[in-house]
């Protein structure tokens, strides 16, 4: 069955449809990873987006729920160059086509994904719609131009109620802005006693839990659309050690008085080089974000840059000069991607233990 992708600038790509035949609208983005389509599909940070995978062969290992990063996918579409209809993997429980049909997500295969990626790189992210062949293209283009993309993605993908992941180690409150399960896994393997809470949990509610540390998760959309989180971070900063990832990194910067801006086409993939300034160590990182912290806005905020992207020089890490708090723009939990940077979770554990030791010493000397 033929299906088409129509972009807001009038460009049309025609290919073979798979998955659901639903016509969904979203921001069209691209991911440069060579594997990990299950983790990409289930990453809440892609909420409402139509994802183009630049690697050609997709679907060859089917679908296995163990590899998912969330309970339900939030993407609005998947675009691939070549779709494999017959997976070859003993762990597969269904095909990618069957899964997309089950979750009402449209797919498009057989188009020139290189051409689409180059267009996005040149013009920036574009709104698009997956359509059947019988639609009026001009009407769809007019509709896309008039479409205002939603700004409540974090509200859509955050947990609605708190839940625990018990452990015997440090007590961590993990604020879910669209959390990838990889973050929870990394904390769990380090025996942290984790409580996952909704995005709009207040500083007062968190501090009443008496945590050893606070984790700010990744998530979708513009960080400025989550003022509740900015207020919360301002209320806990300096009282509890803090570690933020991706959207959590951007929210932390805003809470400290810095500014963020939308990128032309973002960073999405599992092969982005990032340098840690203190050591000059370079890590290959997994990334998925469309916004960045403006480096020139950091003056007077008490924040210092710790990591930079080698591809474009954007800010990839921050630390507070006074308080026990640090963040990174990339995903140290990977999934998919290399595990070059998961040592940052160990650094967070050390930060919590040091802070607790200092607090105990102060109490003894009081």
């Amino acid at each position: 069955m033929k299906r088409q992708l129509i972009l807001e600038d009038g460009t049309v790509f025609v290919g073979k449809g798979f998955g659901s035949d639903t016509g969904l609208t979203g921001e069209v983005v691209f991911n440069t990873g060579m594997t990990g389509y299950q983790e990409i599909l289930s990453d809440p940070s892609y909420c409402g987006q139509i994802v183009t995978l630049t690697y050609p062969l997709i679907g060859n290992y089917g679908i296995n729920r163990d590899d998912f990063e969330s309970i339900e996918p939030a993407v609005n579409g998947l675009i691939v160059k070549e779709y494999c209809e017959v997976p070859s993997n003993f762990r597969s429980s269904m095909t990618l086509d069957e899964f997309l049909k089950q979750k009402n997500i449209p797919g498009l295969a057989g188009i020139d994904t290189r051409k689409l990626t180059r267009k996005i790189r040149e013009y920036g992210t574009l709104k698009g719609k997956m359509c059947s062949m019988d639609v009026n293209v001009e009407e769809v283009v007019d509709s896309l131009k008039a479409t205002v993309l939603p700004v409540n993605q974090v509200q859509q993908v955050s947990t609605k109620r708190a839940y625990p992941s018990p452990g015997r180690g440090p007590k961590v409150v993990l604020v879910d802005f669209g959390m990838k399960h990889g973050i929870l896994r990394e904390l769990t393997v380090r025996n942290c006693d984790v409580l996952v809470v909704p995005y709009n949990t207040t500083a007062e509610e968190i501090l009443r839990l008496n945590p050893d540390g606070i984790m700010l998760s990744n998530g979708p959309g513009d960080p400025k659309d989550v003022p509740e989180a900015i207020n919360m971070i301002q209320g806990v900063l300096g009282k509890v050690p803090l570690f933020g990832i991706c959207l959590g990194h951007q929210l932390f910067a805003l809470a400290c008085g810095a500014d963020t801006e939308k990128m032309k086409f973002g960073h999405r993939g599992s092969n982005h080089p990032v340098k840690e300034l203190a050591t000059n160590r370079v890590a290959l990182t997994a990334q998925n974000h469309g916004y960045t912290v403006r480096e020139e806005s950091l003056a007077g905020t008490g924040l210092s840059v710790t990591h930079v992207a080698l591809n474009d020089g954007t800010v990839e890490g921050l630390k507070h000069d006074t308080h026990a708090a640090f963040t990174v723009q990339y995903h140290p939990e990977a999934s998919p991607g290399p595990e070059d940077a998961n040592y940052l979770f160990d650094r967070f554990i050390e930060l919590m233990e040091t802070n607790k030791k200092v607090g105990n010493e102060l109490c003894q000397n009081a």
Side-chain angles (χ1 to χ4, degrees), residues 39 69 182 185-186 189-190 270-271 281-286 330-346:
E39 295 91 336
E69 287 298 305
R185 285 195 298 269
E186 291 292 338
V189 297
R190 289 164 174 80
S270 53
N271 46 13
R281 177 166 53 181
V282 175
L284 288 179
T285 67
Y330 56 91
H331 288 266
E333 82 286 353
S335 298
E339 298 181 349
D340 293 20
N342 62 7
Y343 68 90
L344 291 173
F345 288 94
D346 297 322

Side-chain angles (χ1 to χ4, degrees), residues 219-288:
D222 186 341
K224 294 177 183 177
D225 292 332
V226 200
E228 308 96 324
I230 297 170
N231 292 334
M232 178 273 291
I233 295 168
Q234 290 172 339
V236 301
L237 184 61
K239 300 174 183 176
V240 183
L242 185 149
F243 177 24
I245 291 173
C246 197
L247 183 65
H249 159 85
Q250 299 160 14
L251 290 167
F252 172 70
L254 290 173
C256 293
D259 194 17
T260 57
E261 62 184 353
K262 187 172 176 61
M263 305 175 76
K264 187 176 181 179
F265 49 82
H267 294 166
R268 297 174 181 89
S270 53
N271 46 13
H272 291 251
V274 169
K275 182 169 76 171
E276 184 175 33
L277 299 180
T279 63
N280 283 330
R281 177 166 53 181
V282 175
L284 288 179
T285 67
Q287 305 212 6
N288 178 12

Side-chain angles (χ1 to χ4, degrees), residues 139-186:
E139 290 180 358
V140 172
V141 170
D142 289 340
S143 174
L144 285 170
K145 290 178 178 177
T147 297
V148 178
L149 296 175
V151 297
N152 65 337
Q153 295 103 320
V154 169
Q155 182 179 344
Q156 290 180 50
V157 297
S158 175
T159 183
K160 301 301 184 287
R161 62 185 64 185
Y163 62 91
S165 179
R168 295 172 181 254
K171 185 176 182 180
V172 177
V173 170
L174 172 49
V175 187
D176 179 10
F177 302 117
M179 173 194 72
K180 288 174 66 181
H181 285 173
I183 296 175
L184 185 57
R185 285 195 298 269
E186 291 292 338

Side-chain angles (χ1 to χ4, degrees), residues 46-328:
Y46 284 114
C47 179
Q49 294 180 324
I50 297 173
V51 183
T52 304
L53 301 180
T54 60
Y55 190 71
L57 184 62
I58 303 298
N60 56 329
Y61 48 84
I63 292 292
N64 172 46
R65 287 290 314 188
D66 290 348
D67 295 332
F68 276 41
E69 287 298 305
S70 66
I71 300 299
E72 292 291 334
V75 299
N76 275 12
L78 180 68
I79 300 171
V80 303
K81 176 66 175 72
E82 180 183 348
Y83 167 64
C84 178
E85 297 182 356
V86 183
S88 179
N89 190 299
F90 74 96
R91 299 171 70 235
S92 175
S93 60
M94 67 177 75
T95 66
L96 176 58
D97 176 60
E98 291 169 335
F99 174 76
L100 293 182
K101 283 185 168 70
Q102 185 183 100
K103 300 302 180 182
N104 204 31
I105 299 170
L108 178 64
I111 72 164
D112 188 344
T113 52
R114 184 172 183 270
K115 180 179 178 180
L116 175 56
T117 300
R118 287 172 65 88
K119 172 172 280 293
I120 295 171
R121 285 177 57 89
E122 182 177 353
Y123 294 102
T125 50
L126 293 161
K127 288 176 285 187
K129 185 171 184 177
M130 303 276 248
C131 300
S132 61
M133 298 301 297
D134 57 359
V135 300
N136 183 299
V137 173
E138 291 184 358
E139 290 180 358
V140 172
V141 170
D142 289 340
S143 174
L144 285 170
K145 290 178 178 177
T147 297
V148 178
L149 296 175
V151 297
N152 65 337
Q153 295 103 320
V154 169
Q155 182 179 344
Q156 290 180 50
V157 297
S158 175
T159 183
K160 301 301 184 287
R161 62 185 64 185
Y163 62 91
S165 179
R168 295 172 181 254
K171 185 176 182 180
V172 177
V173 170
L174 172 49
V175 187
D176 179 10
F177 302 117
M179 173 194 72
K180 288 174 66 181
H181 285 173
I183 296 175
L184 185 57
R185 285 195 298 269
E186 291 292 338
L187 293 172
T188 300
V189 297
R190 289 164 174 80
N191 209 25
C192 291
D193 183 17
V194 183
L195 180 67
V196 182
V197 300
Y199 78 99
N200 55 356
T201 306
T202 66
E204 292 76 15
E205 290 169 332
I206 291 176
L207 293 174
R208 278 201 296 269
L209 297 169
N210 195 30
D212 296 315
I214 299 172
M215 184 94 211
L216 308 174
S217 86
N218 65 292
D222 186 341
K224 294 177 183 177
D225 292 332
V226 200
E228 308 96 324
I230 297 170
N231 292 334
M232 178 273 291
I233 295 168
Q234 290 172 339
V236 301
L237 184 61
K239 300 174 183 176
V240 183
L242 185 149
F243 177 24
I245 291 173
C246 197
L247 183 65
H249 159 85
Q250 299 160 14
L251 290 167
F252 172 70
L254 290 173
C256 293
D259 194 17
T260 57
E261 62 184 353
K262 187 172 176 61
M263 305 175 76
K264 187 176 181 179
F265 49 82
H267 294 166
R268 297 174 181 89
S270 53
N271 46 13
H272 291 251
V274 169
K275 182 169 76 171
E276 184 175 33
L277 299 180
T279 63
N280 283 330
R281 177 166 53 181
V282 175
L284 288 179
T285 67
Q287 305 212 6
N288 178 12
H289 60 100
Y291 290 80
T292 186
V293 175
R294 294 177 57 243
E295 185 172 4
E296 59 270 27
S297 73
L298 295 173
T301 63
L303 299 177
S304 297
V305 177
T306 58
H307 298 74
V308 295
L310 292 184
N311 287 338
D312 60 9
T314 51
V315 176
E316 287 284 342
L318 294 168
K319 69 173 181 178
H320 201 284
D321 297 334
T322 305
H323 304 306
F326 71 99
T327 62
V328 289

